[in-house]
Amino acid sequence: AGSRDGAHNALLMRDVSAGLHPGGTVTDRRLDRMLEALAVMHARFWGDDTVADPGHELADVETLLTMVWPQSWPLMESNPEGLGMVQKGWQALLDLVEPDVRRTIEDVMAHPGPLVDALEAEPATLLHGDYRLDNLAVMPDESVIAFDWQYAARGPAVMDLAWLVVSGGVLELHGW
């Protein structure tokens, strides 16, 4: 729950520590629950025009897509550890791919408009914006709690799915 009184804010959170991912490879059952919860949320808000209300202050597709791209790095300077991880990740990706793939990635990053337009043309729903293992709790009763909603957005459901798939431990589940 949250409350705002002028310049003062209060946040009340339920203890979800029993449902946090313990690390390592995620189990099939845990991943199934996370995917099911994501599908339920996306279905609930699929095509819901109220999600497009500017008063909700949701991120747009371009912001969500480019938030860790190199052109956004100056905005991350207040978090040097996080910025360092992002920079190392990008460098590792660019070092691993073939030169033609690297050029394509760099071209898309330099000119994201066509990708943003394609994503915005898809049916929209409410997005968590950072739907990954570290922001999810699968409780003992198997309910799923998503927290850390600062990147909530409106866009195609595939964007949340992509964040989950690249979470540490998910790809390893099937040996990817």
Side-chain angles (χ1 to χ4, degrees), residues 38 41-42 126-129 131 157-164:
L38 186 61
M41 181 187 77
H42 287 163
L126 175 66
L127 302 176
H128 178 274
Y131 198 84
V158 70
M159 294 183 80
D160 271 342
L161 182 59
W163 275 111
L164 180 60

Side-chain angles (χ1 to χ4, degrees), residues 14-15 17-18 27 36 56 72 74 77 85 88-89 108 118 120 144 163:
R14 186 171 119 195
D15 181 5
S17 57
T27 64
E36 184 178 327
H56 296 309
S72 298
E77 288 177 351
M85 288 184 353
K88 286 179 186 175
V108 168
E120 288 178 341
V144 177
W163 275 111

